[in-house]
């Protein structure tokens, strides 16, 4: 039996396996799975950041959003304009389909419902409308560029968010720090930076093995400081059970500010 192919996320964005990826890593939250527990941790962390901590502003950009919108459920109540970006046209199209309410768009209702319940209400339809109104642009990004989106002349953002992207595209700690600096170039002085990370050596999409760059939680915090951020708060959950499809040991959400 042949071994599964190993790809870097930069190698072939068309080989992403969108439907397989979404169904495996973002199942309905009503189902009791390891992924649901991780996703609940993410939603609760983001809820705290955008509510208890009070992160807010006018413009937020997500660098490397993938095909996902769950990261905007809390954010859309605090930011008037959200820009979702990804290097993959397939991922951009997946977000745009959800925004347009197109047939076949991935269903995020259980995620929206969970956050609404955290907030003490069940207005999921209203929240989805608010999300769609806030997501005003879905476009291309390239984390390797000094300015992953736009140029030095482009307006700066009040908040930059990135989730599970850097660990999938870098090959060294030095490159990790540089990509954080690239993200910082889009951010106003004193602006907010939110990073979701789950460093592993690999993760699987169906039979395809995607390579990643694995670090520990100490490095995640150290890298932010090296890139010119002040860490405000971090959230961490450790994973003890073995998973054949991804060898991650922890999931982390970090809130920082640009110095």
């Amino acid at each position: 039996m042949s071994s599964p192919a190993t790809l870097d996320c930069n190698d072939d964005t068309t080989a992403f396996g969108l439907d397989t990826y979404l169904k495996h890593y973002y199942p309905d939250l009503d189902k009791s799975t390891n992924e649901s527990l991780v996703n609940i941790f993410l939603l609760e962390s983001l809820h705290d950041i955008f509510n208890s901590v009070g992160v807010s502003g006018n413009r937020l950009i997500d660098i490397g959003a993938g095909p996902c919108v769950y990261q905007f459920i809390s954010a859309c109540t605090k930011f008037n304009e959200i820009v979702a970006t990804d290097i993959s046209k397939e991922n951009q199209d997946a977000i745009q389909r959800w925004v347009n309410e197109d047939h076949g768009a991935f269903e995020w209702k259980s995620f929206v419902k969970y956050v609404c319940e955290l907030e003490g209400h069940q207005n999921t339809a209203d929240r989805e409308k608010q999300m769609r109104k806030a997501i005003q642009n879905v476009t291309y990004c390239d984390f390797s560029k000094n300015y992953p989106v736009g140029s030095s002349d482009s307006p700066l953002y009040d908040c930059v968010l990135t989730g599970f992207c850097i660990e999938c595209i870098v090959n060294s700690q030095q490159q990790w720090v540089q990509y954080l600096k690239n993200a910082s170039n889009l951010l106003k002085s004193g602006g907010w930076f939110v990073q979701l990370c789950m460093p592993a050596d690999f993760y699987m999409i169906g039979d395809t093995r995607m390579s990643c760059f694995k670090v520990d939680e100490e490095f995640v915090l150290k890298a932010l400081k090296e890139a010119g951020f002040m860490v405000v708060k971090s959230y961490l959950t450790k994973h003890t059970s073995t998973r054949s499809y991804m060898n991650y040991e922890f999931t982390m959400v970090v809130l920082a500010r640009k110095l």
Side-chain angles (χ1 to χ4, degrees):
M1 183 175 180
S2 60
S3 299
T6 301
L7 296 175
D8 183 289
C9 285
N10 291 312
D11 289 341
D12 183 4
T13 58
T14 63
F16 190 66
L18 180 64
D19 290 340
T20 301
Y21 170 79
L22 285 169
K23 289 174 182 176
H24 181 86
Y25 290 100
Y26 299 98
D28 193 301
L29 290 186
D30 294 333
K31 298 176 181 177
S32 180
T33 66
N34 289 325
E35 282 63 49
S36 293
L37 294 176
V38 171
N39 291 327
I40 285 170
F41 164 77
L42 296 174
L43 294 177
E44 291 179 348
S45 300
L46 292 169
H47 167 76
D48 188 69
I49 285 171
F50 292 110
N51 289 276
S52 300
V53 179
V55 172
S56 63
N58 185 42
R59 301 174 72 234
L60 176 150
I61 186 169
D62 184 344
I63 309 174
C68 303
V69 300
Y70 70 88
Q71 64 273 33
F72 306 135
I73 302 170
S74 293
C76 75
T77 67
K78 306 298 179 181
F79 290 86
N80 298 317
E81 178 185 345
I82 291 174
V83 178
T85 75
D86 200 80
I87 196 169
S88 162
K89 183 65 164 58
E90 185 180 25
N91 288 341
Q92 295 170 43
D93 290 345
I95 294 175
Q96 196 63 63
R97 282 196 299 274
W98 184 86
V99 171
N100 295 343
E101 300 185 71
D102 290 346
H103 177 73
F106 189 73
E107 184 58 75
W108 295 99
K109 276 194 187 330
S110 70
F111 289 72
V112 178
K113 177 175 177 287
Y114 188 86
V115 174
C116 288
E117 289 174 350
L118 286 177
E119 296 174 359
H121 64 88
Q122 295 183 336
N123 300 326
T124 56
D126 289 343
R127 179 56 53 87
E128 288 188 337
K129 288 179 183 177
Q130 191 171 9
M131 291 169 66
R132 290 185 169 101
K133 181 179 179 181
I135 302 170
Q136 296 183 19
N137 192 13
V138 182
T139 190
Y140 174 86
C141 73
D142 185 346
F143 233 133
S144 69
K145 305 296 185 184
N146 286 337
Y147 292 85
V149 177
S151 67
S152 59
D153 297 325
S154 301
L156 298 176
Y157 291 85
D158 301 292
C159 182
V160 171
L161 185 152
T162 186
F164 313 123
C165 183
I166 292 180
E167 57 263 48
C168 294
I169 56 178
V170 303
N171 297 307
S172 68
Q173 292 186 357
Q174 181 181 6
Q175 194 176 29
W176 184 299
V177 174
Q178 182 58 55
Y179 280 22
L180 289 175
K181 291 179 179 178
N182 295 348
S184 177
N185 288 336
L186 304 181
L187 191 59
K188 294 178 180 178
S189 179
W192 298 101
F193 183 74
V194 181
Q195 183 178 14
L196 288 60
C197 53
M198 194 185 297
D201 291 320
F202 71 91
Y203 68 100
M204 302 294 294
I205 301 177
D207 294 329
T208 303
R209 180 182 170 113
M210 308 296 290
S211 63
C212 299
F213 186 72
K214 192 173 185 178
V215 298
D216 58 24
E217 55 263 40
E218 182 180 353
F219 173 76
V220 173
L221 299 176
K222 177 185 174 185
L224 284 164
K225 293 173 184 176
E226 287 186 24
F229 293 100
M230 176 185 69
V231 174
V232 175
K233 192 170 185 179
S234 63
Y235 310 76
L236 178 74
T237 183
K238 294 197 173 183
H239 311 295
T240 55
S241 59
T242 302
R243 295 167 173 82
S244 60
Y245 53 85
M246 177 186 272
N247 68 335
Y248 61 101
E249 297 172 358
F250 67 92
T251 303
M252 195 170 188
V253 178
V254 187
L255 172 66
R257 294 196 90 156
K258 180 176 179 178
L259 296 175

